Amino acid sequence: MQSFSERYEAEVLNFDREQAAEHICETMRELLRSKLRKRGLVVAVSGGIDSSVSAALAVRAIGPKKCFFMQLPEVDSAEDTQSRSSQLIQHLGVESTQHNIASTLEAIGCYDARDEAIKKTFPEYTDGWKNKIVIKGGIDGQVNHFMLVVQDPSGNLQEKRLDLREYLQIVAATNYKQRIRKTIEYYHADRLNYAVVGTPNRLEYDQGFFVKNGDGSADVKPIAHLYKTQVYALAKHLGLPDSICDAIPTTDTYSLPQGQDEFYFALPYQEMDKALWAHNHGATAEELAEMLGISEDQAKFVKQDIDNKRKTTHYLHAKPYLIDPIAELNL
Amino acid sequence: MSAEAQIRNYILENYLFTDDQSALDSGDSFLDKGILDSTGILEVIYFLEDEFSIKVEDTEMVPENLDSVNNIVAFIGRKSQ
């Protein structure tokens, strides 16, 4: 009998890239035709792997002339993500716009609300300092909790556990970024009569790593069924520039560099892909431990963390609940 | 009011939106029964630190201490010794 590692390699790593790409493109064309009834696709490109692959698939599905791309940076966006998104736009030959959302975020109070909460934890925090949130607990069997990391202008790092109120305020404030971006995406979609492409991979979609009515909002999500490892493979298959194929995933939301595994997932994405796949295919903690080279206890906690995140973020996926259904709408 | 009654009432009022004491057994697992998610547990920690003047350390943030009324009562008892 094949081990889980062997099955993962055969079913996930060695998937048929051309068939996967063609299936996505055909389905997107069919959705545009019969469900969405829109003339094209808008994609906000961050320079990350997911939006780059989604954008390339959109172009492959309906051609560059029916796509419109946006770059939506703000003050905490890393420079390299912007240069990568510019490279992608040039590579795919699609009309695009750049709209810096910093002044909108400033006006709505995003940065002030975030900094107010940070100062309750680090009163000395001020202009020129950087910040990020780091998750702790999942792989140690603890309740997930959050550390605030700040860096002063001379580079000194400090870390403290965030009180719940401050954590919620920082996240609520930074969620403005995803929600303002989505407002602009829908402006262009409405203007052009296009549909909006959402860009989560399977790990993000399954585990609820998105902002409701922010990056979670879209008309079609072409790579939500693909593990992150597969998205990287597809990037190479589609011939995207090396700088994009080799990009390390970050949230690009906080001013200090922040890996997705620091903020949300219990493990780096390569291991999280394996864990999610194995958990979905009935692996025991012992089998997962062997696959990942971690202890059985840690594997048990990772499996619990996957289930907990599904429960915690279920409402992010849900449509608004009605008291009584409206049967005539057939939704 | 006993610690158990305080915690029970907090959970009933804030998570179950009821004053019906039969809606919660003191041994019920908050996570298994879907009463609390991990953010809910963090709210409970905030409540405990505020109400019982204790500091919950990172290493103490485990289900054995926080996942039921009984577990919390025992945990607070140990912290107060």
Side-chain angles (χ1 to χ4, degrees), chain A residues 286-323:
Chain A
E286 189 186 352
E287 287 163 330
L288 182 61
E290 190 189 325
M291 191 178 180
L292 296 180
I294 58 178
S295 74
E296 201 175 319
D297 271 349
Q298 285 177 319
K300 189 178 85 183
F301 296 141
V302 168
K303 282 163 66 69
Q304 280 170 358
D305 195 48
I306 289 172
D307 289 336
N308 283 339
K309 283 198 167 79
R310 281 182 179 152
K311 269 193 229 165
T312 308
T313 61
H314 184 263
Y315 84 100
L316 296 176
H317 291 279
K319 288 186 285 192
Y321 295 104
L322 305 185
I323 305 305

Side-chain angles (χ1 to χ4, degrees), chain A residues 136 140-147 161 163-168 304 308 311-313, chain B residues 31-32 34 37-39 41-43 45-46 49 55-59 61-63 66:
Chain A
K136 289 249 168 100
D140 303 315
Q142 296 167 10
V143 176
N144 280 326
H145 54 282
F146 301 92
M147 311 299 288
R161 193 171 100 203
D163 277 348
L164 181 70
R165 304 291 156 205
E166 280 68 75
Y167 163 70
L168 292 176
Q304 280 170 358
N308 283 339
K311 269 193 229 165
T312 308
T313 61
Chain B
L31 293 170
D32 288 350
D37 58 20
S38 54
T39 307
I41 296 266
L42 293 179
E43 286 177 320
I45 291 168
Y46 187 80
E49 292 188 333
K55 171 79 184 147
V56 181
E57 303 299 334
D58 295 358
T59 51
M61 296 170 72
V62 290
L66 300 162

Side-chain angles (χ1 to χ4, degrees), chain A residues 1-34:
Chain A
M1 202 175 77
Q2 279 188 313
S3 70
F4 274 93
S5 291
E6 287 164 342
R7 284 177 58 196
Y8 179 76
E9 193 172 329
E11 292 177 33
V12 179
L13 300 184
N14 294 333
F15 74 116
D16 185 332
R17 290 137 171 83
E18 179 55 26
Q19 193 184 49
E22 203 37 49
H23 170 58
I24 291 167
C25 293
E26 180 50 43
T27 307
M28 280 207 283
R29 285 191 293 269
E30 177 57 27
L31 289 170
L32 282 168
R33 210 161 32 224
S34 62

Side-chain angles (χ1 to χ4, degrees), chain A residues 148-166:
Chain A
L148 176 61
V149 180
V150 297
Q151 185 182 46
D152 67 25
S154 53
N156 298 316
L157 286 169
Q158 298 179 65
E159 177 180 297
K160 272 188 202 167
R161 193 171 100 203
L162 269 170
D163 277 348
L164 181 70
R165 304 291 156 205
E166 280 68 75

